[in-house]
Amino acid sequence: MVRGIAFLVGAAFTFVLAIALWGSVSGLISEPPAPTAEEEFHLHPKEAHLASDGIFGRFDRRQLQRGFQVYKEVCAACHSLRLVAFRDLADLGYNEAEVKAIANQWAIEQPSINPETGEATTRKNVPADRFPSPFANEVAARAANNNALPPDLSLITKARHEGTNYVYSLVGPDAYRNQPAELLRKFPDAKTPAGLHYNPYFANLNIAMPPPITQDGQVQYADGTLATRDQMAKDVAAFLTWTAEPKLESRHAAGIGAFLFILVFCFLAWGAYQNVWRDVKH
């Protein structure tokens, strides 16, 4: 008796749930929700076409050094790189003396404590230090950026969908633009608020960061490469790909080695099988 009542209650609950689900699904089919401005005008990131792309990809050290120069001269004033140490720059092709000079001459010094007074102070960076934050804390960072918090860039290409292409597109020459007239006509309430900037590669179309790369030649490359806006955007995207995955080349090499090992192993196993069963009639 109790089991029968429990069955009826469960069946009734399932029936009501099915009706509610059907009502929701049929409503979405007959009257789909109106598209939003973000859905219609958000652009897919462009391909950066870097040397590190693909399973055989390898970093272009000259490009990484150029990207580091763009980060240093354009991005470092607002964005931290807290997971990268100065000594890691040796992987970019800098020698020990150059790494020491970069650390020592870095504009932002390392927070420290005066051992004699116990008061907060700063000191010059050394290769073992990680890149210091441009702001003392989150409150200071927001106060300096219209209440927007500049993200740390150490893992930005891992934290965003199609991260390398996203960074390249977000700061590229066609990223910051005036809002399309069609957008304002279809979505009058979607006008970019004061203090923000229209960027179709950003998720909600309006970004607090002003255009970081504003003109050709903004950075004078040490290797003589022509610093166009597109080149600088591509180079900094390559550098941030390296900060997010500095072991990319060794991972690719390990993957290729493992594939070749499995291929040879399968061939040897097939040969052993043929040898063991060669005298057996099938």
Side-chain angles (χ1 to χ4, degrees):
M1 181 67 178
V2 174
R3 182 176 298 178
I5 295 175
F7 174 80
L8 291 176
V9 170
F13 177 79
T14 303
F15 179 71
V16 172
L17 186 63
I19 292 177
L21 180 62
W22 169 252
S24 300
V25 172
S26 61
L28 288 174
I29 294 174
S30 59
E31 298 181 9
T36 64
E38 291 83 357
E39 292 172 341
E40 284 203 27
F41 291 90
H42 179 261
L43 297 182
H44 190 76
K46 301 180 299 181
E47 292 284 341
H49 299 296
L50 301 181
S52 57
D53 293 344
I55 61 173
F56 299 105
R58 297 184 63 84
F59 287 123
D60 180 343
R61 260 54 186 184
R62 291 183 60 189
Q63 183 173 49
L64 294 184
Q65 291 189 16
R66 294 196 303 268
F68 170 64
Q69 192 175 346
V70 174
Y71 168 76
K72 176 184 177 181
E73 299 183 22
V74 178
C75 310
C78 296
H79 294 277
S80 57
L81 210 61
R82 62 183 178 83
L83 299 181
V84 182
F86 286 98
R87 63 187 174 193
D88 295 333
L89 296 178
D91 292 342
L92 273 58
Y94 294 107
N95 59 41
E96 185 178 352
E98 289 173 327
V99 171
K100 288 182 178 179
I102 291 171
N104 183 263
Q105 298 168 12
W106 197 255
I108 305 165
E109 295 189 341
Q110 200 72 212
S112 183
I113 299 294
N114 188 320
E116 298 180 357
T117 64
E119 296 179 349
T121 184
T122 60
R123 60 168 174 80
K124 292 288 187 180
N125 296 285
V126 298
D129 291 326
R130 293 184 178 182
F131 283 83
S133 173
F135 304 105
N137 50 49
E138 181 178 332
V139 175
R142 290 186 180 278
N145 292 278
N146 196 26
N147 203 38
L149 181 64
D152 178 81
L153 298 183
S154 305
L155 302 176
I156 194 68
T157 58
K158 288 292 187 182
R160 300 292 185 271
H161 179 62
E162 294 192 40
T164 299
N165 295 331
Y166 169 80
V167 171
Y168 165 61
S169 302
L170 190 73
V171 300
D174 67 336
Y176 290 82
R177 58 182 79 171
N178 294 325
Q179 280 189 297
E182 184 183 1
L183 185 152
L184 295 176
R185 179 177 58 80
K186 296 181 67 174
F187 305 95
D189 296 334
K191 182 175 177 59
T192 299
L196 300 183
H197 308 270
Y198 180 77
N199 188 325
Y201 297 106
F202 193 62
N204 66 2
L205 307 180
N206 300 309
I207 187 171
M209 178 177 68
I213 299 175
T214 57
Q215 60 183 359
D216 293 344
Q218 185 174 342
V219 172
Q220 296 299 317
Y221 282 139
D223 65 0
T225 300
L226 184 62
T228 63
R229 294 172 64 191
D230 184 76
Q231 184 67 56
M232 288 184 283
K234 188 171 294 187
D235 291 343
V236 77
F239 171 69
L240 294 176
T241 300
W242 171 79
T243 64
E245 194 166 6
K247 302 301 182 184
L248 177 142
E249 291 175 328
S250 59
R251 181 173 61 82
H252 285 179
I256 294 171
F259 174 78
L260 293 176
F261 172 80
I262 293 173
L263 190 65
V264 172
F265 176 79
C266 290
F267 177 77
L268 293 175
W270 177 81
Y273 169 80
Q274 294 295 323
N275 184 62
V276 170
W277 296 96
R278 68 181 184 277
D279 296 328
V280 178
K281 295 182 179 180
H282 296 283

